[in-house]
Amino acid sequence: MKSNLKRPQILFVTVKLTGLRYTVSGEVEAPGTNTLFQDRVNIFEAIANAGEIPITGDRKDILIIRQYPQGQKIHHLDITREDVMSSPYYYIQPNDIIYVKPLPQKSWGTGETGMQTLTTIATIITLGTTTLLLIDRL
């Protein structure tokens, strides 16, 4: 048998790894589509690769939109609970969409934290009271 290679001991093999592709959107530092070259990726790893959830993100109601043969289904996940690790949605699947909702106070525009919300409400009440007192004096 004749070989066309001059030096058959130098061979190259190209291996292409398939990754787990998913999308993270909403209240995360770096939303977008990510690919991790691992067999299994849990929800914490997926969110960490999207830059983590800022203080304005709702960790108690994260949506996982998963593809099924019948269509898409939305699943809710509370990552503040210890039993999240026993959830069937703890490990993400290819093409999952993870949506981190904003906290209600961010949606209302009253502040990012409870203290900021309280300060905003107190400012509005003080402004209203001051306006009423000034009108009453005129």
Side-chain angles (χ1 to χ4, degrees):
M1 181 170 168
K2 186 175 178 183
S3 172
N4 291 335
L5 297 173
K6 291 184 180 183
R7 294 175 35 189
Q9 70 274 16
I10 302 175
L11 296 175
F12 292 95
V13 176
T14 302
V15 177
K16 187 172 184 179
L17 298 173
T18 59
L20 184 68
R21 186 172 178 259
Y22 64 95
T23 302
V24 182
S25 65
E27 287 296 309
V28 291
E29 295 293 332
T33 300
N34 297 317
T35 303
L36 292 177
F37 298 103
Q38 298 175 6
D39 292 338
R40 292 183 0 160
V41 177
N42 66 46
I43 188 71
F44 294 108
E45 293 169 321
I47 291 172
N49 278 289
E52 273 304 324
I53 301 173
I55 196 167
T56 56
D58 188 356
R59 289 172 171 79
K60 293 188 177 193
D61 192 18
I62 294 176
L63 305 181
I64 297 182
I65 304 164
R66 186 162 286 172
Q67 308 289 329
Y68 294 98
Q70 308 85 1
Q72 294 179 336
K73 287 188 181 177
I74 298 174
H75 306 286
H76 298 264
L77 203 56
D78 180 352
I79 63 169
T80 64
R81 295 178 49 102
E82 201 171 302
D83 63 354
V84 70
M85 292 180 275
S86 61
S87 168
Y89 314 110
Y90 179 67
Y91 289 101
I92 65 168
Q93 293 182 4
N95 300 316
D96 274 358
I97 299 170
I98 302 166
Y99 177 70
V100 180
K101 298 191 317 188
L103 288 171
Q105 59 260 34
K106 181 170 184 192
S107 300
W108 299 332
T110 56
E112 294 181 356
T113 63
M115 184 57 83
Q116 288 179 349
T117 302
L118 185 62
T119 303
T120 302
I121 292 171
T123 302
I124 291 170
I125 290 172
T126 303
L127 180 64
T129 306
T130 304
T131 304
L132 287 175
L133 289 174
L134 287 174
I135 291 173
D136 192 39
R137 287 193 172 189
L138 292 176

